[in-house]
Amino acid sequence: NLFYLDRDFYNPQKFIQYLNQDQFSNSFIVIDFKLFKKKFFKKGIEPYQTYLGKLNKVAGIVFTTDSRPIAFKSRAHYTSPFPVLLAGPSFPKEAKEIYINLENEFKESHTANNIVAWLPGKNKSEEKYYVICAHYDHLGIMGRDNIMAGANDNASGVAMALTLLNYYSEQKNRLDYPIMFLFFEGEEANLLGSIFYADHPVRPLKGIKCLLNMDMVGDTGPSLTFQANDGNVDLLK
């Protein structure tokens, strides 16, 4: 059954309490994504885990949008116990029921490997260093006929990292400090390669002066967008 959430409950204080009622245990809740984003997306809050992760009575969620749906998928650390669907403008406004057929294959084991390269700097000290990283895995096959080759996510980031590796490997372009190039696997499975490396670093993490993560750099065409944590902007100059 489909239940369309009333506007009164697009409210962080009411949302969870209202939907955690037995009456919704056999219902998919239809939520206007634009309104959900406006009301629930706040700085410092991961909205899906914070709000959807606490629902335990609903059969599922359907986010509807009049534009192209954004990417959403459950993460391994907080996989939701119900399906979360994204529906575009073609989703019928007066639908009463929904039928879903899910097929999946669980692989019990998969060997993943991180790749680490070390490029010495001009000076002999190796206590401080830069990190340039990118993940090299991708989603691959999501559905019977939906094959994603990963050209942007993240062959583009890997290509940029390799280009920088090639550039800085020339003696005339060396920096004063060394550069570690890290290529992670398992990013699409919830950053597993990064988490493993953080727990098993080959060099002390406290020695990192600045870390640049290259991910989907083909998103914006000829321009390049970057986000910087406070305190790191000057290091990029």
Side-chain angles (χ1 to χ4, degrees), residues 77-113:
H77 283 333
Y78 50 91
T79 303
S80 61
F82 49 79
V84 178
L85 310 179
L86 290 168
S90 61
F91 188 79
K93 306 297 183 182
E94 305 297 329
K96 301 296 184 183
E97 296 180 342
I98 188 171
Y99 175 81
I100 304 169
N101 180 29
L102 298 176
E103 296 181 17
N104 71 333
E105 179 185 357
F106 178 71
K107 296 186 180 297
E108 294 186 2
S109 62
H110 170 73
T111 300
N113 297 283

Side-chain angles (χ1 to χ4, degrees), residues 40-232:
F40 294 87
F41 279 47
K42 305 296 180 182
K43 185 176 181 180
I45 295 178
E46 201 295 312
Y48 304 116
Q49 182 182 14
T50 302
Y51 297 105
L52 301 189
K54 295 180 181 178
L55 299 180
N56 52 37
K57 296 291 185 180
V58 303
I61 296 290
V62 179
F63 280 124
T64 60
T65 176
D66 291 334
S67 58
R68 178 185 177 187
I70 64 159
F72 173 91
K73 66 177 186 295
S74 294
R75 289 295 198 175
H77 283 333
Y78 50 91
T79 303
S80 61
F82 49 79
V84 178
L85 310 179
L86 290 168
S90 61
F91 188 79
K93 306 297 183 182
E94 305 297 329
K96 301 296 184 183
E97 296 180 342
I98 188 171
Y99 175 81
I100 304 169
N101 180 29
L102 298 176
E103 296 181 17
N104 71 333
E105 179 185 357
F106 178 71
K107 296 186 180 297
E108 294 186 2
S109 62
H110 170 73
T111 300
N113 297 283
N114 291 330
I115 301 170
V116 183
W118 181 262
L119 189 63
K122 291 181 180 178
N123 61 36
K124 295 182 179 180
S125 175
E126 295 187 345
E127 292 184 3
K128 298 292 183 181
Y129 59 97
Y130 297 105
V131 175
I132 295 176
C133 61
H135 75 90
Y136 70 92
D137 62 310
H138 188 53
L139 295 172
I141 300 175
M142 297 287 285
R144 184 178 299 169
D145 301 311
N146 188 24
I147 301 174
M148 293 171 283
N152 187 25
D153 184 13
N154 185 36
S156 64
V158 171
M160 173 166 275
L162 291 174
T163 299
L164 292 172
L165 173 58
N166 183 62
Y167 174 82
Y168 286 118
S169 64
E170 295 186 23
Q171 195 64 37
K172 64 179 181 178
N173 298 325
R174 292 288 176 94
L175 298 179
D176 290 337
Y177 292 93
I179 307 175
M180 176 183 289
F181 289 85
L182 278 173
F183 299 92
F184 297 114
E185 192 173 359
E187 192 268 355
E188 301 293 359
N190 199 33
L191 312 177
L192 295 184
S194 303
I195 292 172
F196 180 87
Y197 181 82
D199 290 337
H200 305 84
V202 298
R203 299 271 179 164
L205 297 178
K206 65 181 181 180
I208 298 175
K209 287 178 60 65
C210 181
L211 183 146
L212 299 178
N213 179 42
M214 310 295 181
D215 200 349
M216 299 178 68
V217 300
D219 263 357
T220 51
S223 62
L224 183 63
T225 300
F226 75 91
Q227 295 173 304
N229 291 339
D230 293 342
N232 285 288

